[in-house]
Amino acid sequence: AITVFSATRILLIKILTQYPQYHTSTEEACRYLINSHLSVIHAMLSTQSNAKQQKVVLQLLAAIVSLGGNLPRELLIHLSLSLEVVKSLVQHTKPTDDQNTRNCFIHFIMAFLIEGNIPIIRTLLDKRDLLSSIFPDLIYDSKDIVVLILTTLKTYILQNANVSKTMKLQIFSTSVIQNLLCLYNWKGPNNWPKLKTQSSVTDSHFLLEKLDRPWEYEKPSNLVIKIITACPDLIKPQFTLLESYIAPEVSLKWIA
């Protein structure tokens, strides 16, 4: 299956880039592939499969999604990935490898957003764990992956007038915002700790805690100012966070 799926992906890319006249027949062929071999796809994405099998399938699925039309939505409807499988696909194993499983999964998920198709985005959101799963540990991804995610979200979600405010709020949940804020302390693949304890904070009042000493850096500082300007109720909690850093210094005003 690995050889067949790899060859199919290469063929799809060639058709997309060089032979658009075969697009319709290719779409039908992919629809047949999904309907007839979904069990094989699920098996190769399972936790029992190796990384090579998972990557080949994810790359093939990303190519299928790129065909557009109704295929992406049909694929989302038929694809059934358990939370355990999703976690295995997004976990960091070899962050320095550009073709690692996590990167392939991220490219697969981003492919659904590229066209800004509302029914597809809505169907993706119905699969609750798929999109949200890519944000934890984003600080250990390569700069290219980070830019891909941020650019895609900005262009096809935030700046898309057809995406409702409700849908945007669904996408940018508190946990997602927290992980995006962590990018101010981006570490990159080379600083990925193999063993670490994960923690999650769900209270939106703790978003500012994700910024490490923001007053020392221009962009985090500006972000804090904008957050407090928009949400004045956060001023008091923010001062509480700053309290341990505030210490009197000898000055003429202090002596006076």
Side-chain angles (χ1 to χ4, degrees):
I2 289 180
T3 303
V4 174
F5 282 179
S6 296
T8 303
R9 170 181 168 267
I10 294 172
L11 184 60
L12 287 177
I13 293 174
K14 281 190 173 292
I15 291 173
L16 281 167
T17 56
Q18 300 177 24
Y19 305 102
Q21 65 270 29
Y22 298 118
H23 190 283
T24 302
S25 57
T26 302
E27 186 176 335
E28 288 302 318
C30 289
R31 183 171 287 108
Y32 174 81
L33 174 66
I34 294 171
N35 292 330
S36 302
H37 301 287
L38 190 63
S39 60
V40 178
I41 292 173
H42 280 141
M44 292 180 67
L45 289 174
S46 70
T47 54
Q48 283 73 42
S49 298
N50 58 47
K52 184 175 182 180
Q53 291 173 317
Q54 293 173 334
K55 288 189 287 186
V56 166
V57 174
L58 289 171
Q59 289 170 339
L60 171 62
L61 294 180
I64 291 176
V65 173
S66 299
L67 287 171
N70 292 321
L71 268 180
R73 189 165 181 269
E74 292 175 22
L75 176 58
L76 279 172
I77 292 173
H78 287 89
L79 197 63
S80 179
L81 301 179
S82 67
L83 181 58
E84 181 185 12
V85 170
V86 172
K87 285 183 176 179
S88 72
L89 295 175
V90 298
Q91 70 179 358
H92 278 296
T93 51
K94 296 180 180 179
T96 54
D97 178 10
D98 291 337
Q99 296 298 319
N100 62 56
T101 305
R102 174 179 166 85
N103 284 3
C104 291
F105 183 79
I106 289 174
H107 280 283
F108 168 56
I109 296 300
M110 291 296 103
F112 289 104
L113 301 177
I114 294 299
E115 295 301 324
N117 185 294
I118 303 304
I120 293 176
I121 294 175
R122 187 175 290 112
T123 306
L124 179 63
L125 290 178
D126 288 339
K127 301 276 187 174
R128 295 181 179 276
D129 299 317
L130 287 184
L131 181 58
S132 61
S133 67
I134 68 175
F135 295 101
D137 285 346
L138 199 58
I139 59 173
Y140 299 111
D141 283 309
S142 68
K143 64 180 185 302
D144 292 333
I145 287 293
V146 172
V147 170
L148 169 67
I149 293 175
L150 295 181
T151 302
T152 301
L153 291 175
K154 178 182 178 182
T155 304
Y156 301 105
I157 302 298
L158 288 176
Q159 295 179 341
N160 187 344
N162 294 321
V163 178
S164 68
K165 183 178 180 180
T166 300
M167 292 179 68
K168 290 176 182 177
L169 288 173
Q170 280 184 274
I171 294 171
F172 293 98
S173 62
T174 300
S175 60
V176 169
I177 296 297
Q178 288 172 347
N179 284 294
L180 292 177
L181 283 174
C182 287
L183 289 174
Y184 279 107
N185 302 316
W186 178 76
K187 300 181 184 300
N190 293 325
N191 293 308
W192 170 65
K194 291 186 177 181
L195 297 174
K196 63 187 181 65
T197 303
Q198 293 186 344
S199 61
S200 60
V201 184
T202 57
D203 190 343
S204 60
H205 287 286
F206 289 94
L207 287 176
L208 293 172
E209 290 186 11
K210 291 293 182 180
L211 297 175
D212 184 21
R213 303 172 71 90
W215 58 88
E216 295 183 355
Y217 306 95
E218 180 182 356
K219 291 184 178 180
S221 178
N222 290 337
L223 177 62
V224 171
I225 292 172
K226 289 180 180 179
I227 291 175
I228 292 177
T229 301
C231 307
D233 290 344
L234 294 179
I235 292 178
K236 185 176 179 179
Q238 180 63 11
F239 276 126
T240 302
L241 293 175
L242 294 174
E243 188 175 355
S244 61
Y245 297 101
I246 298 175
E249 296 182 357
V250 177
S251 65
L252 292 176
K253 290 185 178 181
W254 178 256
I255 295 174

